[in-house]
Amino acid sequence: MNERARLLLELADDELVVGWRDSEWTGIAPTLEEDVAFSSIAQNEIGHARALYELVARERGTTADELAFDRSPDEYRCARLVELRLPEWEKTIARHYVYEEADAKRLERLKQSEDADIAGLAAKIDREEAYHRMHAQMWFDRLEGEPRFTSALDELRPLLETGRDENTSDLTELWDEMTIVRRSQPAGTKW
Amino acid sequence: MVTAEQVWDALAEIPDPEIPVISLVDLGVIRDVAIENGCVRVEFTPTFLGCPALDVMRDAMTERVRELGAEADVRVISDDSWSTDRITPAGREKLRASGFAPPAPRAAGTATTLVQLQSAVFRCPYCGSSETKLENIFGPTPCRSLRYCTACRQPFEQFKTI
């Protein structure tokens, strides 16, 4: 796999998996407003993943769906931070903040890429991410200094750039859930 | 033989699948129409990347061009050329008239900030008052925020500026 494909897959896998994790709050978030927010953020992240997979798919003669769902769990390049199932609200918010902060820096770099497809898509994604960052910042300001939030930040921050070459059992479980419909279909099913 | 002008007119009749008061042309998502060797090439720029309406829009365009008796090649351009500033003045007025506050113009080169969203510069599409407040950055679809007008006590949806 070339460097370009590896970079795009890391990014796409992060967005796909964090999108699934965000969507786990649909219907059960602590407030209705947060239910709407996390559901909408999840939808955006999965849309970003699709556009990124499409860039790789074009080069490799495959499709976004095949890249998203037909690889084995150990082929995913996402960071440990996004893999974890976090049923605690303060940890969800801490992950959201840490992820959006790092994603902003990554997008800033990619916007300067000499590859016009990557630079263009990064700029487009960044327009939407600005709203995720506002949301994360709003919660950061509200929870800053709260002991549970502080320790969640300390626990999660180191997981940002680890685990891309290996997976947690949380990811394997998620993979099972997110590919079950696709795997249940006979080969050749049109989506 | 079909002309580009006929194609533009036909595309102007396709409603946005989620906000049917405005057309795809009003929304500014059609960047170019060209006729090449009898095939109609349409360059289409997605709005929000996670918007499920995108596939519906693409299929509707293909179908509409086929009704004109030509084959369509709808190309999705995922670069940065669409922003809410591409919504036409007519489109903005149609949004407002149906209770969606149109997006504020984007400040040159900068993303919207929370401070701007929390300020009272957004007008209620029902009564025109700027006494409105942010209820939720997010809404029922990726393109909308929720606001509340304290003058006429009406919640409303605000098209996000991107």
Side-chain angles (χ1 to χ4, degrees):
Chain A
M1 193 188 305
N2 64 36
E3 198 46 43
R4 179 181 191 265
R6 185 202 306 279
L7 173 82
L8 288 169
L9 281 179
E10 272 184 14
L11 188 52
D13 289 345
D14 276 351
E15 297 276 276
L16 178 73
V17 172
V18 85
W20 274 79
R21 290 304 185 207
D22 289 341
S23 78
E24 288 170 340
W25 289 104
T26 301
I28 57 163
T31 69
L32 181 59
E33 297 307 330
E34 285 309 313
D35 201 314
V36 170
F38 268 94
S39 303
S40 194
I41 292 170
Q43 192 179 344
N44 289 339
E45 300 292 20
I46 288 170
H48 301 167
R50 179 168 80 163
L52 292 158
Y53 284 131
E54 273 165 5
L55 275 191
V56 183
R58 221 186 293 157
E59 166 189 319
R60 296 173 73 182
T62 174
T63 66
D65 277 350
E66 282 169 4
L67 288 170
F69 301 123
D70 291 350
R71 287 178 297 154
S72 69
D74 57 9
E75 288 177 272
Y76 285 73
R77 302 279 312 149
C78 44
R80 179 157 308 163
L81 178 73
V82 297
E83 292 181 13
L84 301 180
R85 190 183 294 277
L86 299 176
E88 305 89 351
W89 184 249
E90 75 278 9
K91 288 190 183 177
T92 291
I93 295 297
R95 166 164 62 195
H96 182 41
Y97 184 77
V98 168
Y99 183 76
E100 294 299 347
E101 192 183 48
D103 196 34
K105 288 184 192 145
R106 176 165 63 182
L107 288 171
E108 242 1 272
R109 257 196 332 271
L110 294 177
K111 279 157 75 174
Q112 314 304 323
S113 170
E114 284 170 12
D115 184 317
D117 287 338
I118 293 180
L121 183 56
K124 183 161 184 65
I125 289 174
D126 198 40
R127 286 178 189 267
E128 299 176 21
E129 293 289 354
Y131 287 87
H132 300 187
R133 293 195 286 272
M134 281 181 223
H135 176 258
Q137 188 64 46
M138 194 180 74
W139 271 102
F140 180 87
D141 293 345
R142 191 180 294 174
L143 298 182
E144 193 179 9
E146 293 285 340
R148 276 163 58 193
F149 183 60
T150 306
S151 63
L153 283 174
D154 292 344
E155 177 191 335
L156 295 171
R157 227 183 252 289
L159 307 182
L160 191 57
E161 275 307 323
T162 57
R164 292 204 183 273
D165 295 318
E166 56 194 11
N167 286 316
T168 54
S169 57
D170 281 14
L171 182 78
T172 317
E173 240 173 73
L174 175 68
W175 181 88
D176 211 40
E177 292 165 6
M178 74 181 182
T179 60
I180 192 165
V181 175
R182 192 166 165 90
R183 282 182 291 118
S184 69
Q185 300 297 313
T189 301
K190 290 260 181 272
W191 290 82
Chain B
M1 189 59 224
V2 64
T3 65
E5 197 184 350
Q6 286 172 308
V7 174
W8 277 107
D9 288 346
L11 299 180
E13 289 169 7
I14 303 176
D16 175 283
E18 284 184 337
I19 312 176
V21 293
I22 73 170
S23 79
L24 299 191
V25 172
D26 290 330
L27 197 56
V29 293
I30 296 155
R31 198 168 70 172
D32 192 34
V33 172
I35 317 289
E36 281 172 3
N37 306 325
C39 179
V40 176
R41 198 191 67 223
V42 180
E43 285 187 0
F44 166 59
T45 55
T47 51
F48 287 69
L49 288 164
C51 179
L54 299 177
D55 291 338
V56 181
M57 292 182 194
R58 197 172 45 193
D59 293 349
M61 285 188 275
T62 307
E63 185 53 38
R64 204 67 190 81
V65 169
R66 201 166 286 153
E67 283 168 20
L68 296 175
E71 276 309 302
D73 171 16
V74 179
R75 296 193 187 163
V76 181
I77 313 288
S78 290
D79 67 5
D80 193 36
S81 58
W82 190 83
S83 85
T84 37
D85 291 345
R86 296 283 297 254
I87 300 175
T88 64
R92 296 173 58 83
E93 180 50 29
K94 288 180 198 169
L95 283 174
R96 194 201 56 74
S98 60
F100 290 105
R106 189 177 158 93
T110 58
T112 309
T113 64
L114 190 57
V115 174
Q116 285 168 334
L117 288 187
Q118 286 169 339
S119 69
V121 297
F122 294 88
R123 285 194 179 278
C124 170
Y126 295 98
C127 74
S129 169
S130 58
E131 295 298 313
T132 68
K133 58 179 187 163
L134 180 67
E135 289 280 299
N136 194 333
I137 295 170
F138 298 95
T141 71
C143 61
R144 311 179 208 176
S145 297
L146 299 177
R147 297 188 75 85
Y148 182 76
C149 174
T150 51
C152 71
R153 298 184 187 174
Q154 173 71 38
F156 65 92
E157 292 176 1
Q158 168 75 51
F159 212 108
K160 281 185 192 136
T161 296
I162 66 165

